[in-house]
Amino acid sequence: KDGSTFPAVVYSSPVFSEHRISGIQGFVVDISQSKQAEEVLKESENRYRAIFENTGTTMIIVEDDTTISLVNAEFEKLTGFKREDVEGKRNWPDFVIPEDREVMLARHRQRRMDSDSAVKNYEFRMIDRDGVVRNILLNVDMIPGTRRSVASLIDITGRKQAEAALAESEARYRAMFSQMNSGVIVYEPVNEGDDFIVKDLNEAAERISRIQRENLLGKGLFTLYPNLGDSALAEAMRRVCNTGVLEYLPPTYYADDPREGWAESSIYRLPSGDIVTIYNNVSDKMKALSALRESEERYRLLVEYANEAIFIVSNGVITFPNPKCIEMMGYSADELLGIPFTDHVHPQDRQAVAARQAHRAAEAAPPTTYSFRLINRHKKEFWVESNTVHIQWAGQPAILNFFRDITEAKRLEAQLMQAQKMEAIGTLAGGIAHDFNNILGVIIGYTEMAMVHSGSDAVSRRLQQVVKASERAKNLVKQILAFSRRKEQERFPVEIGVVVEEAMKLLRSTLPATIEIRRHVPEEPLVVLADPTELHQVIMNLSTNAAHAMREKGGVLEMRLSLCTISSQSEIIGTDLEPGPYVQLMVSDTGRGIDAAVMDRIYDPFFTTKDTGEGTGLGLSVVYGIVRSLQGAITVQSAVGRGTAFTIYLPCAATEETGAETSIPDIMPQGGENILMVDDEEYLVDVGGELLKSLGYRVTMATSPLEALQCFQDGPYRFDLVITDMTMPSMTGVELAKRVLDIRPDIPIVLCTGHSDLIDAQSAKSLGIREFLNKPIFIQDLAVAVRRVLDEDRGSALREKG
């Protein structure tokens, strides 16, 4: 009704009425399912047919009576018969040679009766259409549910022929094996080389091993010769066992088995996995070469492992270079042959080296040992000490050279000279600091005394400026002493703007007029935790580099100080700063800029773009080290021809009063005790004595430590306190303190020093010295220190009585 169709079978017959056909009657049967089944069967048969035809192997189906019912195309190729001449017309035994036919029929009958126990794989010989006999490997099985069998046929004629050829080869091998002059032994590996069992050997092997055949066969090599287990031979045999790669073992001396002597070996693996070793006794040959080899070995070790570059200059180029020479020059041996030797010499040294070579060519006697500079492949210059010998090479005059790299020695020599110079400067600085401290002490002492007795506010204000200037001078001396001592700098809150101002003053007096200096320093104090000397060094190093970049054409050096806040670690690219407030210091110039190719190396120690003698390459590395040690960061922006800007970020410290003016307090600590004061500077003794007397103390003054010691010995209990200088003639302050304490261990001592490498506050206290003061000393510091020591001493005495 819906117009769809279906397969059907119609059965019909005529209907008769009065002997005439009056109609047709019948019925219709729907055969959809049977049609589908037919299609499935047809598809299955097509798949089977495709596999049968295209398997690539000869396939046949045999009926129960041995009639061939079906063959594929490969059968036609194998036998030469067309399938239409075979299928249903020929019996399978017709193709089998008579000698194998009965066996074939017997197996066919057995398979028909009991297919499970029947042999399914066997070989036989068949005859093709041309009468050629072929060796066939048959694989046969019954088709389930039928009396048919299906078989695959594999032509193994070639394999059989190969086996026959192998047998013939084996016979030839056996003949050669027996007659060879080289010893041949066949081993069977055990556990991948734990041992090797002797399976076969020839007569020559018996002679070499000096053991009879029956005593070797079936024995393990390492069982017979335990010392061979770790030998090069054993290792080579194991490698061949694992890899199958042929190995040659050079002449080896065997001393721990009957084969004593030299033998060379070839080792390879047979397809069966057995290992074959071929030995040749080369003892006579090795003895003949022994002396020559020993001589060559000594030469090789001398030349190849020498720590000096050894080479020959022939026809103006380097020949026969040893490994150290190749390493030193950076070129391969072949590359050196194409470069004149003088091209390797530093341009500034070529004339001197050429002059020496000319003298040598004229058979003069110039020094055979001298030093000069070379340049390697990487354009790096280095110093060498050259020792040369005139020789004949390949029939021509040549020079044998021995070069020793003395670059490090030259560097250490320069470093030593620099260290000695710096030590001398440090010693000079220390001496100047000592004398200057004494002068400042007199200035400060008398100025403070004048302030106390001036009675005039105007005069006091002027004197206050003297004290303030003295304070700055004192800080300057501290910087000099820090330089001379080279000690870790003490860090405390520093107003960085003050350091910038002082650095700018120094720069104005040193830079040429073609460089304009601009500064932007805010009025509010910006404080960082640092050492002023380090900050000063950072500013001066950056400013000096900026000035050098503008020395040819002039320009603008700008220093800008500001406060900034960093909100995240990634805000400033290239840094790892923690979020928080930072002081930002920018030092910029309008100079020639930095090439992008060297930007990554500007902080490397000893790297410099300046000409030789104009820079050490330490400036920026020192800046970087100081900034990082202060938990800060440094960035740079630069372009060739457009100037450079370095920006430094330093963590803000708590704002404190820095550089406050010194003033005389309304109430100065006073007392009435008796004090012995010692200093070799008469002015310092006078001013110190007057200051202490103005505070109510009784003071005995001495300008000689020997005089002071005698005075103390005459009346040790007259004094309540001893104040002594450190550096004095005849006796140091420490020595005087020890002598005084030997006489009276309870006497408090205050040690004053302007400069000393022998004592500091900690070591002074360990000696029993109560107080350690650095010169020059302000009246407030002196008054507080004296009162503190005396009060501590009195408290200790009261505690002892209690």
mmCIF file of all heavy atoms in Angstrom, residues 278-299:
data_model
loop_
_atom_site.group_PDB
_atom_site.id
_atom_site.type_symbol
_atom_site.label_atom_id
_atom_site.label_comp_id
_atom_site.label_asym_id
_atom_site.label_seq_id
_atom_site.Cartn_x
_atom_site.Cartn_y
_atom_site.Cartn_z
ATOM 1 N N ILE A 278 90.424 -16.347 16.295
ATOM 2 C CA ILE A 278 91.573 -16.749 15.466
ATOM 3 C C ILE A 278 92.810 -16.089 16.051
ATOM 4 O O ILE A 278 92.870 -14.854 16.178
ATOM 5 C CB ILE A 278 91.377 -16.316 14.004
ATOM 6 C CG1 ILE A 278 90.108 -16.950 13.438
ATOM 7 C CG2 ILE A 278 92.589 -16.687 13.163
ATOM 8 C CD1 ILE A 278 89.790 -16.519 12.019
ATOM 9 N N TYR A 279 93.789 -16.907 16.462
ATOM 10 C CA TYR A 279 94.992 -16.422 17.128
ATOM 11 C C TYR A 279 96.193 -16.538 16.202
ATOM 12 O O TYR A 279 96.345 -17.508 15.465
ATOM 13 C CB TYR A 279 95.284 -17.243 18.394
ATOM 14 C CG TYR A 279 94.195 -17.212 19.427
ATOM 15 C CD1 TYR A 279 93.236 -18.218 19.468
ATOM 16 C CD2 TYR A 279 94.136 -16.188 20.366
ATOM 17 C CE1 TYR A 279 92.235 -18.194 20.421
ATOM 18 C CE2 TYR A 279 93.145 -16.164 21.325
ATOM 19 C CZ TYR A 279 92.192 -17.168 21.351
ATOM 20 O OH TYR A 279 91.207 -17.146 22.293
ATOM 21 N N ASN A 280 97.078 -15.517 16.301
ATOM 22 C CA ASN A 280 98.370 -15.576 15.623
ATOM 23 C C ASN A 280 99.447 -15.219 16.633
ATOM 24 O O ASN A 280 99.356 -14.192 17.324
ATOM 25 C CB ASN A 280 98.433 -14.601 14.444
ATOM 26 C CG ASN A 280 97.620 -15.095 13.270
ATOM 27 O OD1 ASN A 280 97.855 -16.173 12.748
ATOM 28 N ND2 ASN A 280 96.638 -14.301 12.865
ATOM 29 N N ASN A 281 100.454 -16.054 16.720
ATOM 30 C CA ASN A 281 101.565 -15.792 17.633
ATOM 31 C C ASN A 281 102.488 -14.769 16.990
ATOM 32 O O ASN A 281 103.080 -15.017 15.945
ATOM 33 C CB ASN A 281 102.323 -17.090 17.933
ATOM 34 C CG ASN A 281 103.301 -16.915 19.088
ATOM 35 O OD1 ASN A 281 103.956 -15.881 19.187
ATOM 36 N ND2 ASN A 281 103.398 -17.921 19.938
ATOM 37 N N VAL A 282 102.596 -13.592 17.615
ATOM 38 C CA VAL A 282 103.408 -12.511 17.046
ATOM 39 C C VAL A 282 104.508 -12.100 18.019
ATOM 40 O O VAL A 282 104.941 -10.952 18.031
ATOM 41 C CB VAL A 282 102.515 -11.291 16.700
ATOM 42 C CG1 VAL A 282 101.587 -11.608 15.559
ATOM 43 C CG2 VAL A 282 101.717 -10.841 17.918
ATOM 44 N N SER A 283 104.977 -13.052 18.826
ATOM 45 C CA SER A 283 106.006 -12.739 19.826
ATOM 46 C C SER A 283 107.274 -12.210 19.174
ATOM 47 O O SER A 283 107.859 -11.220 19.634
ATOM 48 C CB SER A 283 106.317 -13.983 20.664
ATOM 49 O OG SER A 283 105.182 -14.374 21.412
ATOM 50 N N ASP A 284 107.727 -12.835 18.104
ATOM 51 C CA ASP A 284 108.958 -12.387 17.445
ATOM 52 C C ASP A 284 108.786 -10.977 16.887
ATOM 53 O O ASP A 284 109.686 -10.125 17.001
ATOM 54 C CB ASP A 284 109.338 -13.357 16.324
ATOM 55 C CG ASP A 284 109.719 -14.719 16.850
ATOM 56 O OD1 ASP A 284 110.079 -14.787 18.049
ATOM 57 O OD2 ASP A 284 109.646 -15.695 16.085
ATOM 58 N N LYS A 285 107.644 -10.748 16.280
ATOM 59 C CA LYS A 285 107.374 -9.427 15.719
ATOM 60 C C LYS A 285 107.344 -8.363 16.826
ATOM 61 O O LYS A 285 107.899 -7.263 16.673
ATOM 62 C CB LYS A 285 106.040 -9.457 14.981
ATOM 63 C CG LYS A 285 105.538 -8.113 14.509
ATOM 64 C CD LYS A 285 104.156 -8.267 13.883
ATOM 65 C CE LYS A 285 103.554 -6.921 13.542
ATOM 66 N NZ LYS A 285 102.192 -7.065 12.990
ATOM 67 N N MET A 286 106.726 -8.711 17.941
ATOM 68 C CA MET A 286 106.612 -7.744 19.032
ATOM 69 C C MET A 286 107.961 -7.458 19.671
ATOM 70 O O MET A 286 108.245 -6.330 20.072
ATOM 71 C CB MET A 286 105.623 -8.251 20.088
ATOM 72 C CG MET A 286 104.199 -8.356 19.589
ATOM 73 S SD MET A 286 103.577 -6.818 18.886
ATOM 74 C CE MET A 286 103.638 -5.761 20.326
ATOM 75 N N LYS A 287 108.799 -8.464 19.756
ATOM 76 C CA LYS A 287 110.133 -8.227 20.302
ATOM 77 C C LYS A 287 110.919 -7.290 19.394
ATOM 78 O O LYS A 287 111.651 -6.431 19.861
ATOM 79 C CB LYS A 287 110.865 -9.558 20.453
ATOM 80 C CG LYS A 287 110.321 -10.429 21.578
ATOM 81 C CD LYS A 287 111.047 -11.774 21.628
ATOM 82 C CE LYS A 287 110.464 -12.666 22.717
ATOM 83 N NZ LYS A 287 111.114 -14.003 22.758
ATOM 84 N N ALA A 288 110.730 -7.480 18.089
ATOM 85 C CA ALA A 288 111.451 -6.619 17.156
ATOM 86 C C ALA A 288 110.981 -5.171 17.244
ATOM 87 O O ALA A 288 111.745 -4.223 17.042
ATOM 88 C CB ALA A 288 111.259 -7.138 15.729
ATOM 89 N N LEU A 289 109.688 -4.973 17.547
ATOM 90 C CA LEU A 289 109.136 -3.625 17.613
ATOM 91 C C LEU A 289 109.211 -3.000 19.003
ATOM 92 O O LEU A 289 108.891 -1.831 19.173
ATOM 93 C CB LEU A 289 107.658 -3.645 17.161
ATOM 94 C CG LEU A 289 107.389 -4.021 15.706
ATOM 95 C CD1 LEU A 289 105.893 -4.109 15.469
ATOM 96 C CD2 LEU A 289 108.013 -3.017 14.768
ATOM 97 N N SER A 290 109.586 -3.794 19.992
ATOM 98 C CA SER A 290 109.513 -3.333 21.379
ATOM 99 C C SER A 290 110.351 -2.086 21.632
ATOM 100 O O SER A 290 109.874 -1.103 22.215
ATOM 101 C CB SER A 290 109.957 -4.457 22.323
ATOM 102 O OG SER A 290 109.932 -4.002 23.658
ATOM 103 N N ALA A 291 111.601 -2.121 21.180
ATOM 104 C CA ALA A 291 112.480 -0.974 21.432
ATOM 105 C C ALA A 291 111.958 0.279 20.736
ATOM 106 O O ALA A 291 111.923 1.368 21.312
ATOM 107 C CB ALA A 291 113.891 -1.299 20.967
ATOM 108 N N LEU A 292 111.511 0.108 19.461
ATOM 109 C CA LEU A 292 110.981 1.249 18.721
ATOM 110 C C LEU A 292 109.715 1.795 19.384
ATOM 111 O O LEU A 292 109.533 3.004 19.512
ATOM 112 C CB LEU A 292 110.688 0.828 17.275
ATOM 113 C CG LEU A 292 110.085 1.905 16.374
ATOM 114 C CD1 LEU A 292 111.009 3.103 16.266
ATOM 115 C CD2 LEU A 292 109.758 1.323 15.001
ATOM 116 N N ARG A 293 108.849 0.894 19.814
ATOM 117 C CA ARG A 293 107.608 1.324 20.442
ATOM 118 C C ARG A 293 107.865 2.064 21.755
ATOM 119 O O ARG A 293 107.217 3.064 22.063
ATOM 120 C CB ARG A 293 106.712 0.112 20.705
ATOM 121 C CG ARG A 293 105.425 0.453 21.413
ATOM 122 C CD ARG A 293 104.502 -0.739 21.476
ATOM 123 N NE ARG A 293 104.093 -1.140 20.146
ATOM 124 C CZ ARG A 293 103.412 -2.258 19.872
ATOM 125 N NH1 ARG A 293 103.089 -3.083 20.850
ATOM 126 N NH2 ARG A 293 103.066 -2.547 18.639
ATOM 127 N N GLU A 294 108.824 1.565 22.514
ATOM 128 C CA GLU A 294 109.146 2.232 23.779
ATOM 129 C C GLU A 294 109.646 3.653 23.527
ATOM 130 O O GLU A 294 109.254 4.592 24.217
ATOM 131 C CB GLU A 294 110.206 1.419 24.529
ATOM 132 C CG GLU A 294 110.548 2.001 25.883
ATOM 133 C CD GLU A 294 111.576 1.143 26.607
ATOM 134 O OE1 GLU A 294 111.879 0.020 26.124
ATOM 135 O OE2 GLU A 294 112.076 1.607 27.645
ATOM 136 N N SER A 295 110.486 3.782 22.493
ATOM 137 C CA SER A 295 110.988 5.110 22.152
ATOM 138 C C SER A 295 109.856 6.015 21.678
ATOM 139 O O SER A 295 109.732 7.171 22.096
ATOM 140 C CB SER A 295 112.054 4.988 21.064
ATOM 141 O OG SER A 295 112.456 6.259 20.625
ATOM 142 N N GLU A 296 108.998 5.484 20.815
ATOM 143 C CA GLU A 296 107.879 6.283 20.319
ATOM 144 C C GLU A 296 106.897 6.639 21.431
ATOM 145 O O GLU A 296 106.318 7.722 21.441
ATOM 146 C CB GLU A 296 107.152 5.518 19.205
ATOM 147 C CG GLU A 296 107.963 5.408 17.925
ATOM 148 C CD GLU A 296 107.214 4.640 16.860
ATOM 149 O OE1 GLU A 296 106.201 3.982 17.204
ATOM 150 O OE2 GLU A 296 107.635 4.690 15.689
ATOM 151 N N GLU A 297 106.722 5.718 22.370
ATOM 152 C CA GLU A 297 105.796 5.988 23.479
ATOM 153 C C GLU A 297 106.310 7.118 24.356
ATOM 154 O O GLU A 297 105.546 7.990 24.779
ATOM 155 C CB GLU A 297 105.619 4.706 24.311
ATOM 156 C CG GLU A 297 104.648 4.846 25.466
ATOM 157 C CD GLU A 297 103.217 5.063 25.004
ATOM 158 O OE1 GLU A 297 102.936 4.905 23.794
ATOM 159 O OE2 GLU A 297 102.375 5.400 25.850
ATOM 160 N N ARG A 298 107.627 7.091 24.607
ATOM 161 C CA ARG A 298 108.200 8.182 25.403
ATOM 162 C C ARG A 298 108.002 9.512 24.689
ATOM 163 O O ARG A 298 107.632 10.514 25.287
ATOM 164 C CB ARG A 298 109.687 7.929 25.646
ATOM 165 C CG ARG A 298 109.955 6.881 26.702
ATOM 166 C CD ARG A 298 111.394 6.978 27.188
ATOM 167 N NE ARG A 298 112.352 6.785 26.099
ATOM 168 C CZ ARG A 298 112.899 5.629 25.793
ATOM 169 N NH1 ARG A 298 112.574 4.537 26.477
ATOM 170 N NH2 ARG A 298 113.769 5.538 24.795
ATOM 171 N N TYR A 299 108.237 9.491 23.376
ATOM 172 C CA TYR A 299 108.064 10.708 22.593
ATOM 173 C C TYR A 299 106.599 11.159 22.613
ATOM 174 O O TYR A 299 106.277 12.329 22.790
ATOM 175 C CB TYR A 299 108.530 10.462 21.158
ATOM 176 C CG TYR A 299 107.950 11.432 20.165
ATOM 177 C CD1 TYR A 299 108.431 12.734 20.067
ATOM 178 C CD2 TYR A 299 106.888 11.046 19.344
ATOM 179 C CE1 TYR A 299 107.876 13.620 19.159
ATOM 180 C CE2 TYR A 299 106.338 11.933 18.437
ATOM 181 C CZ TYR A 299 106.839 13.220 18.351
ATOM 182 O OH TYR A 299 106.288 14.095 17.467
#
